Amino acid sequence: MFELRGRRKRLLLTGISVLLVIPFIVPLYTMVYTSFQGRGIDNYKAALQLPGFWTYFRNSLLIAVATIAICYFLTMAASFGFSKLRIRSKEVYFWLMMGALTMPEVVLLTPMLMMAQKTGIGGTLWSVIIPLAAMQIPFTTLLTRSYVDGIPDSLFEAARIDGAGTWRQFWSILVPLAKPMGMAIIVLVLINSWNAYLLPLVLLPGEGQQVVSQLPMNFKARYTDDQPKVLAGATLAALPEIIAYVCLQKQFERGMAAGAIK
Amino acid sequence: MAITVKSPAASSAGSGRRSGGAAKRRYHGVPAGMTWVLPGFVMAVGVIYFCIGYTGYVSLLPWNWRPPKEEVVEGLGNFARAFSTPLFWECLKHTLIFFIAVYLVQTVMGIVFAAIMHSRVYCSVIFKILIFVPVVVAPAIMSPVHRRVFAVDGPLNWILAHLGFLHADPTGKNPAWNGWFQWVLDHIGLSSVSPNWIQPSTALWVVIGIQIWSSIGMAFILFFAAMGQIDPEVLEAARIDGAGNIRVLVSVIIPQLKPTIVSLAVLNAITALKLFDYPYLVTTGGPANASQFLGTYIYSEMFEKGGRFGYAASMSMLLLVLAIGVSIIMTVMSRERKPEEVKV
């Protein structure tokens, strides 16, 4: 946006950017630097050798995969229905769904605790997957519906004339054409479910069911004030996300940008 | 692309009307779609509305009701209790301060970074990654790091000491401002600010600072995308008319970013209302409730004060009403402003 003539000006603006970016580096640098203090790499070895270390990651992964699968398919199907199929008074259903758009998580806590106890899903990963998916479907449906509205109806008509059933139209037209939106949904739901803290904290208190976001705090409880070990744990917990982001920058930025606009 | 920057109100309402009309015209031949919508509808509406209903019911039970106990509906006492509790209003005040501070800094810095990254700086990809990584990493994972950053012997005070603001003692445990800086603080009415950050007078600002750190990247990405859609010819024309860089930014670019600035306000308001992770994990709402927010207050009433689920539920309902109210008001406001924006 700024017009820069010549090398000197470009270098000057780069210098300003470096200064502005310093506050962003400080916490990241602190995390890595502190985690090597004292016993160096042994802090990491201690963290990795903690019994059940990998179950945090496994649980987070299972929750993320299940939530993504549920959100993806239900959103795609619902958007297809709302946008391209015949439903009597569909706007009523749509706005009922949009009524659930801005849900503070605390509203879910007591009911989910009761539900979990009564139905026997208490203490299983499902007790987190279900509210996580339910909270995100209204929003992903809002996004995807307006995207699918932009796909011409004539494509579906043509397919119908050629004898394609609804099922076929969904798989062969809608899913491929809505792929960019699908990626955005996957990233958005992945981040939201991987980073979720409050719901797992309340609904999965048991040892062996905990998720990555709880890892640093559990380290803190175990090592009291051994900062280097706690931050070694935090670094390990943050690493998968940072690597995933650096590898898939475009997708992450698009997904998060889509999620920012309600 | 539909998923980049686009006003939600305009897109959803407009498209809804469009496809509704289209469906009426060609109702015959279009297959029925209820079965396609139903699973998502049941999942979202079923679970969420059940939870709202149940929380609403619990809010009418005695304030110290706990899940396994007998249930006797008591009435609206819990709401009266919330309204007459100073801490409840205190939380709202913190939420408002948090919203204003985070929103201002995030918008200004987001625009600055986006403008810089659209210019031809060196290594812009690295800057972009550094700014956006805080958005991606879980708040819960970063909070022990932030506790370390703001510790009395932490990196922040180390930097301040090297810049000459702090008089660091050799142990690093009792840092104090240098004389001249204390004098400045005294004269701008901030004499209670001390380099011991997690204390009543500064804890809220620590939480605000952390949130700014982790959300500028979001504003940056939104503004970056919005700036990418500005017609280069408009910029060219302004330049030919003799406008400098700053002038172009203020008079040409920023007016075109209005829709993004409005939707950031909605996003920030909702985030401020829902806030839980950072205040709970970095300051635990304290010290002395100085950084208590509605989320942390409700949580502590539920799980740390022996289970006051009834009272907590009433505050959850108030929070829900606030969140829905704020998003409706802001959406309506942004829609009313639409026509002038198009002209810009």
Side-chain angles (χ1 to χ4, degrees):
Chain A
M1 290 292 125
F2 296 136
E3 199 180 34
L4 300 173
R5 295 231 171 83
R7 242 204 152 117
R8 286 250 311 276
K9 287 214 167 142
R10 278 182 80 185
L11 277 173
L12 181 73
L13 196 64
T14 311
I16 295 173
S17 321
V18 170
L19 285 180
L20 287 175
V21 147
I22 286 177
F24 290 87
I25 302 174
V26 169
L28 299 174
Y29 178 76
T30 306
M31 175 162 85
V32 178
Y33 176 78
T34 315
S35 70
F36 281 106
Q37 269 181 345
R39 302 197 300 133
I41 195 81
D42 283 351
N43 293 326
Y44 284 89
K45 282 187 188 143
L48 286 167
Q49 276 162 7
L50 206 76
F53 177 81
W54 294 108
T55 51
Y56 290 94
F57 287 88
R58 195 203 61 192
N59 290 341
S60 276
L61 196 65
L62 286 175
I63 288 175
V65 168
T67 314
I68 289 172
I70 293 174
C71 286
Y72 182 86
F73 287 111
L74 297 195
T75 300
M76 284 295 167
S79 313
F80 182 45
F82 278 129
S83 184
K84 302 293 174 212
L85 300 177
R86 172 169 50 88
I87 302 166
R88 196 180 295 164
S89 53
K90 67 164 106 175
E91 295 311 317
V92 175
Y93 293 105
F94 188 70
W95 287 108
L96 269 176
M97 233 167 138
M98 293 310 115
L101 208 54
T102 44
M103 276 297 291
E105 281 163 316
V106 282
V107 180
L108 299 173
L109 293 180
T110 315
M112 286 316 295
L113 271 175
M114 286 298 279
M115 273 261 280
Q117 278 173 12
K118 288 226 168 98
T119 56
I121 61 166
T124 65
L125 300 185
W126 289 106
S127 64
V128 173
I129 294 168
I130 290 173
L132 273 179
M135 273 199 309
Q136 296 181 79
I137 285 177
F139 180 58
T140 51
T141 306
L142 172 67
L143 280 178
T144 314
R145 186 194 167 164
S146 61
Y147 190 87
V148 173
D149 278 341
I151 301 174
D153 288 352
S154 51
L155 278 178
F156 294 91
E157 257 163 62
R160 246 189 319 273
I161 292 165
D162 289 346
T166 326
W167 196 245
R168 182 74 199 268
Q169 289 170 35
F170 178 71
W171 281 114
S172 306
I173 302 176
L174 184 111
V175 171
L177 284 179
K179 216 171 171 189
M181 198 65 232
M183 268 314 285
I185 290 175
I186 289 173
V187 168
L188 187 65
V189 176
L190 172 70
I191 298 270
N192 284 342
S193 51
W194 188 272
N195 289 0
Y197 178 72
L198 180 56
L199 283 170
L201 177 72
V202 171
L203 294 165
L204 296 174
E207 190 88 9
Q209 296 162 335
Q210 291 174 316
V211 295
V212 164
S213 57
Q214 285 161 290
L215 197 141
M217 280 298 133
N218 288 3
F219 267 43
K220 217 179 135 216
R222 192 177 295 256
Y223 294 123
T224 50
D225 223 15
D226 191 348
Q227 287 278 353
K229 287 212 185 79
V230 175
L231 294 197
T235 310
L236 289 172
L239 221 49
E241 275 180 306
I242 296 180
I243 293 172
Y245 164 59
V246 172
C247 295
L248 298 167
Q249 287 170 44
K250 268 251 156 56
Q251 282 80 356
F252 269 64
E253 284 154 17
R254 246 187 239 161
M256 296 298 280
I261 294 171
K262 303 213 168 177
Chain B
M1 179 156 314
I3 56 167
T4 48
V5 224
K6 200 165 140 191
S7 165
S11 67
S12 62
S15 57
R17 245 173 275 132
R18 206 166 47 230
S19 70
K24 241 168 249 153
R25 268 202 321 279
R26 304 174 286 95
Y27 237 22
H28 59 278
V30 178
M34 202 55 210
T35 43
W36 288 86
V37 169
L38 212 53
F41 187 79
V42 169
M43 183 89 194
V45 172
V47 173
I48 301 287
Y49 283 48
F50 164 77
C51 287
I52 296 175
Y54 194 87
T55 304
Y57 167 66
V58 171
S59 70
L60 302 176
L61 300 177
W63 65 280
N64 58 356
W65 176 84
R66 275 206 259 164
K69 268 205 254 171
E70 283 285 302
E71 305 167 8
V72 195
V73 173
E74 201 188 45
L76 296 169
N78 285 322
F79 291 92
R81 202 185 157 84
F83 288 134
S84 61
T85 306
L87 186 51
F88 175 75
W89 297 106
E90 198 66 11
C91 290
L92 285 180
K93 197 182 101 192
H94 294 160
T95 309
L96 190 65
I97 297 174
F98 176 93
F99 164 69
I100 294 171
V102 173
Y103 178 51
L104 277 181
V105 179
Q106 198 192 17
T107 308
V108 172
M109 291 310 292
I111 291 175
V112 168
F113 276 123
I116 290 179
M117 297 305 143
H118 262 298
S119 314
R120 300 182 306 133
V121 288
Y122 297 101
C123 311
S124 62
V125 175
I126 294 175
F127 291 131
K128 196 191 67 186
I129 290 178
L130 284 173
I131 297 167
F132 202 68
V133 156
V135 180
V136 178
V137 180
I141 292 175
M142 286 311 289
S143 36
V145 182
H146 292 301
R147 286 186 69 99
R148 178 79 204 127
V149 170
F150 287 99
V152 275
D153 56 345
L156 177 63
N157 281 350
W158 184 88
I159 293 172
L160 289 175
H162 281 253
L163 292 177
F165 292 101
L166 268 183
H167 169 77
D169 70 332
T171 56
K173 291 289 178 205
N174 295 305
W177 298 118
N178 268 336
W180 69 272
F181 193 63
Q182 185 67 53
W183 184 88
V184 171
L185 287 178
D186 288 345
H187 283 76
I188 53 173
L190 292 174
S191 41
S192 63
V193 173
S194 83
N196 177 10
W197 297 103
I198 300 183
Q199 53 144 339
S201 65
T202 42
L204 179 62
W205 294 98
V206 168
V207 175
I208 289 172
I210 296 170
Q211 176 69 24
I212 289 173
W213 175 81
S214 74
S215 64
I216 281 183
M218 182 60 91
F220 159 67
I221 289 294
L222 294 176
F223 287 125
F224 189 80
M227 282 182 193
Q229 290 177 346
I230 295 176
D231 188 354
E233 282 177 23
V234 178
L235 300 177
E236 199 63 33
R239 291 237 160 77
I240 290 169
D241 288 347
N245 281 330
I246 302 295
R247 180 77 203 198
V248 168
L249 183 68
V250 173
S251 304
V252 181
I253 299 175
I254 290 178
Q256 303 216 30
L257 300 177
K258 244 187 197 166
T260 315
I261 295 175
V262 171
S263 42
L264 256 187
V266 182
L267 176 73
N268 268 303
I270 303 293
T271 312
L273 284 168
K274 286 182 178 177
L275 192 70
F276 177 79
D277 295 5
Y278 280 134
Y280 178 69
L281 289 166
V282 177
T283 63
T284 54
N289 294 320
S291 56
Q292 198 75 268
F293 286 81
L294 274 178
T296 51
Y297 182 36
I298 292 170
Y299 179 86
S300 73
E301 288 290 328
M302 275 183 182
F303 299 103
E304 281 159 7
K305 294 183 186 149
R308 301 172 180 174
F309 280 81
Y311 179 44
S314 72
M315 285 192 293
S316 308
M317 292 308 282
L318 291 173
L319 176 56
L320 177 67
V321 171
L322 265 176
I324 293 178
V326 164
S327 50
I328 289 178
I329 290 171
M330 288 191 157
T331 314
V332 169
M333 269 166 56
S334 66
R335 203 178 296 172
E336 274 170 3
R337 228 179 279 146
K338 218 46 336 119
E340 339 166 1
E341 273 160 12
V342 178
K343 266 185 266 164
V344 169

